[in-house]
Amino acid sequence: MPGERRLSLPRPVLALLCFVCVLVLVDTMFFTALTPLLPHYTATAGLAKSGAGLLVAAYPVGTLVGALPGGVLTSRLGERLVVLLGLALMSVATFVFGWAAVPAALDAARFVEGLAGACIWAAGLAWLATAAPAQRRGELLGIALGAAVGGALFGPVVGAAADEVGTGPAFTAAAVAGAALMVAAFVVPRPLASVPQRLGAAWPVLRDGQVRTGMWLTMLAGLAFGVVDVLAPLRLSRLGATAVVIGATFLAAAAIEALLSPLAGRLSDRRGALVPIQFSLAAAVAVSLLAPVLAPAPLLIALLVVGMPAYGTLFAPATALLSGGAHRLELNQGLVFGLGNLAWASGQAFAAAGSGALAQATSDIFPYCLLAGACLVTLAALRRTSQAR
């Protein structure tokens, strides 16, 4: 209710929140650490452009493949065991990635890191969602997603440091940190007991409007970043921006997103998830229409810094919708977050692969207009749903 004080968090829940924030921060950090290291691996492993593309794609492909199995394992084995499995896979794969110099070994290590990430996200968010008070579930999930953005910001720094001190020692230290997190998993409160469920239990839930909306918004955010991450840097480069300026642009946008994600989650708790979603979608339409035509570079940079968080702030309320729908329908949280992983990875992979080819065949305007249309249709559909209720 308006004016009501926020429910304070018990100390065990606060400890679990910190633990899950570190989990997703580490995962996204490893995801983005490759960016400054790509020239190093291109030289040491003799990768052509196609080989470099395969190395970059191996991680999200691993997440895509592991999305549903990660959710099922969380339901069957429990959140703590699956987090431990993900951390073990991540530590071993990171160690191998640091010392490998053969393309096949590098690709395999990144693929396994993606599998590990799918387990960590499904089990970690499920662990947090089941322990969080219902009145603050969206806010706590938003804080965790903000930590994940922080990891994405810090990843290139880790990659640059690894380039200086050597990838072997740097990623060996990272593997040791993963082992330390495995120990920390036994310090935080144990997950709540739940009835094991098979994957088949998730399919009837897909008929629920709330779950479908959460999955579509998660996929839409993945589609948006797949388009922007490919086309925006290329357009900035054509307008004369240097690599440092392009990197700073995305860094600033991600920093704003990290601050806004908890606020979007809190707003979804207080006013309902549709309120922050509608704000984000309206801004996303404007950004999508302006990004392919705005010039010169400083204007486009300002738009991207302020506007790209409109896409990322869809994640927190979408995650709250998924978690709330699973709770209402008595579906294991791990299964629903596995579905969320599948939705994000599918959208990101499809848009990243398709937007560049589509822009090359036509122009940048066409894929951006398709993205704007998807956001606009979604906004209209949600407004009709809200008015009907």
Side-chain angles (χ1 to χ4, degrees):
M1 298 294 293
E4 184 179 346
R5 292 182 60 188
R6 284 196 300 160
L7 181 68
S8 60
L9 291 178
R11 188 170 296 177
V13 176
L14 184 59
L16 178 61
L17 172 63
C18 294
F19 175 68
V20 173
C21 284
V22 174
L23 282 180
V24 296
L25 182 148
V26 168
D27 175 71
T28 54
M29 183 178 68
F30 285 132
F31 177 58
T32 58
L34 177 62
T35 302
L37 288 173
L38 199 57
H40 164 79
Y41 282 113
T42 300
T44 58
L47 298 176
K49 287 185 177 180
S50 58
L54 182 60
L55 182 61
V56 172
Y59 196 110
V61 170
T63 301
L64 181 62
V65 172
L68 292 181
V72 173
L73 286 175
T74 300
S75 172
R76 304 288 291 179
L77 303 179
E79 291 87 349
R80 176 178 283 161
L81 280 178
V82 178
V83 164
L84 290 172
L85 173 63
L87 288 171
L89 289 173
M90 183 188 71
S91 297
V92 172
T94 300
F95 177 81
V96 172
F97 187 76
W99 293 101
V102 179
L106 291 169
D107 293 339
R110 288 291 287 180
F111 178 82
V112 173
E113 283 181 346
L115 287 175
C119 292
I120 289 171
W121 274 82
L125 292 184
W127 198 344
L128 179 61
T130 53
Q135 302 94 321
R136 297 188 64 182
R137 184 182 293 128
E139 179 187 356
L140 299 192
L141 291 171
I143 291 173
L145 291 170
V149 176
L153 289 172
F154 194 58
V157 178
V158 173
D163 193 38
E164 290 294 326
V165 303
T167 56
F171 285 120
T172 298
V176 172
L181 284 175
M182 295 177 69
V183 175
F186 291 98
V187 177
V188 296
R190 65 184 302 171
L192 300 176
S194 60
V195 178
Q197 294 177 330
R198 297 181 180 274
L199 180 59
W203 304 134
V205 175
L206 295 178
R207 294 194 293 267
D208 181 74
Q210 180 177 344
V211 173
R212 287 202 309 269
T213 300
M215 285 192 66
W216 165 244
L217 290 169
T218 303
M219 180 179 286
L220 182 60
L223 288 167
F225 280 113
V227 172
V228 175
D229 287 350
V230 172
L231 299 184
L234 296 177
R235 176 164 169 75
L236 283 171
S237 179
R238 289 196 300 270
L239 292 175
T242 65
V244 173
V245 171
I246 294 171
T249 300
F250 279 77
L251 186 69
I256 294 174
E257 182 187 334
L259 295 175
L260 291 179
S261 287
L263 298 179
R266 185 182 302 175
L267 188 59
S268 70
D269 288 333
R270 293 183 173 183
R271 301 277 305 274
L274 293 183
V275 174
I277 288 169
Q278 290 182 55
F279 283 133
S280 295
L281 287 173
V285 172
V287 174
S288 301
L289 292 176
L290 289 173
V293 297
L294 201 60
L299 285 180
L300 179 57
I301 289 170
L303 173 73
L304 294 173
V305 168
V306 176
M308 277 197 296
Y311 304 125
T313 49
L314 289 172
F315 282 121
T319 303
L321 284 173
L322 288 171
S323 179
H327 180 76
R328 175 171 50 83
L329 298 169
E330 299 182 347
L331 178 68
N332 186 279
Q333 293 284 336
L335 283 175
V336 80
F337 285 123
L339 293 173
N341 280 339
L342 180 66
W344 168 81
S346 300
Q348 180 91 13
F350 175 78
S355 61
L358 188 59
Q360 185 172 347
T362 56
S363 71
D364 285 8
I365 295 176
F366 195 63
Y368 272 116
C369 284
L370 290 177
L371 176 60
C375 293
L376 185 60
V377 170
T378 303
L379 176 61
L382 291 178
R383 288 183 66 86
R384 283 199 302 268
T385 300
S386 178
Q387 291 169 358
R389 288 176 179 175

